[in-house]
Amino acid sequence: DTEVTQTPKHLVMGMTNKKSLKCEQHMGHRAMYWYKQKAKKPPELMFVYSYEKLSINESVPSRFSPECPNSSLLNLHLHALQPEDSALYLCASSQDSGGQSETQYFGPGTRLLVL
Amino acid sequence: GDSVTQMEGPVTLSEEAFLTINCTYTATGYPSLFWYVQYPGEGLQLLLKATKADDKGSNKGFEATYRKETTSFHLEKGSVQVSDSAVYFCALLGQGAQKLVFGQGTRLTINP
């Protein structure tokens, strides 16, 4: 089973709202990722958690706040977003065993619209 | 730094045509190479992968061979179907790296 689940599927929020995106995997993977994908573009890496610790932050604005409560869950807290933050937010996971081939498995994404 | 270059789309073919989507890469060492597919309104699905030179990845009739001498990982399918219409991303993962490097994506449309 290579399933990564994400909720909600769609989200509309105002610029003053606070919301959270949730990602879950039960494959025993120890690395989890947040990507942002704008229309007709490839995904862009935002954050990487490795063994529940933040290992990569790609200079993402502080209005995006990741959290990894345990090895199966990854959250992305959103606050005071801008309309240009509207995008598809993808979660991914991989084994993180330090091996050569760390295949990343993606979830279906949350489509976010900021008004 | 590492980079991936894909043939620009969109690509439009008739059903049962032969498909090639070119992908070349620049990387140090021995990266792993991937093809992901994104159907309309969905996330990315792993289509196939190869982890070392001369490896051939295959899945659902698609194939790609890791060619280190030409730094290429071209995607091929002998007979495409309407259901193959999607965006295809070539990607690489450097040795010990966690950041996938994506190509720009190729939009494929198959007409009946």
Side-chain angles (χ1 to χ4, degrees), chain A residues 14-83:
Chain A
M15 289 188 284
T16 58
N17 292 158
K18 285 185 180 180
K19 297 286 185 183
S20 296
L21 309 185
K22 180 179 173 181
C23 173
E24 195 164 4
Q25 57 86 16
H26 294 287
M27 296 178 278
H29 289 174
R30 301 311 299 269
M32 296 186 76
Y33 309 76
W34 280 115
Y35 286 84
K36 174 183 177 180
Q37 186 181 24
K38 300 285 277 185
K40 298 187 178 182
K41 295 290 186 183
E44 298 175 1
L45 183 65
M46 301 174 72
F47 302 103
V48 180
Y49 272 83
S50 181
Y51 287 83
E52 294 140 61
K53 293 193 187 311
L54 185 65
S55 60
I56 296 178
N57 177 341
E58 291 284 298
S59 303
V60 178
S62 60
R63 57 185 184 269
F64 295 91
S65 176
E67 178 196 20
C68 190
N70 60 56
S71 59
S72 301
L73 279 176
L74 184 67
N75 299 320
L76 186 63
H77 302 298
L78 314 173
H79 174 53
L81 293 193
Q82 303 298 309

Side-chain angles (χ1 to χ4, degrees), chain A residues 89-106:
Chain A
Y89 288 84
L90 293 163
C91 175
S93 70
S94 68
Q95 279 187 312
D96 199 14
S97 60
Q100 168 72 8
S101 175
E102 292 289 342
T103 303
Q104 293 183 22
Y105 296 93
F106 285 80

Side-chain angles (χ1 to χ4, degrees), chain A residues 37 58 100-101 103-104, chain B residues 30 36 38 49 51 98-99:
Chain A
Q37 186 181 24
E58 291 284 298
Q100 168 72 8
S101 175
T103 303
Q104 293 183 22
Chain B
Y30 301 91
Y36 285 90
Q38 187 171 33
K49 68 178 184 182
T51 59
Q98 290 183 305
K99 182 177 180 178

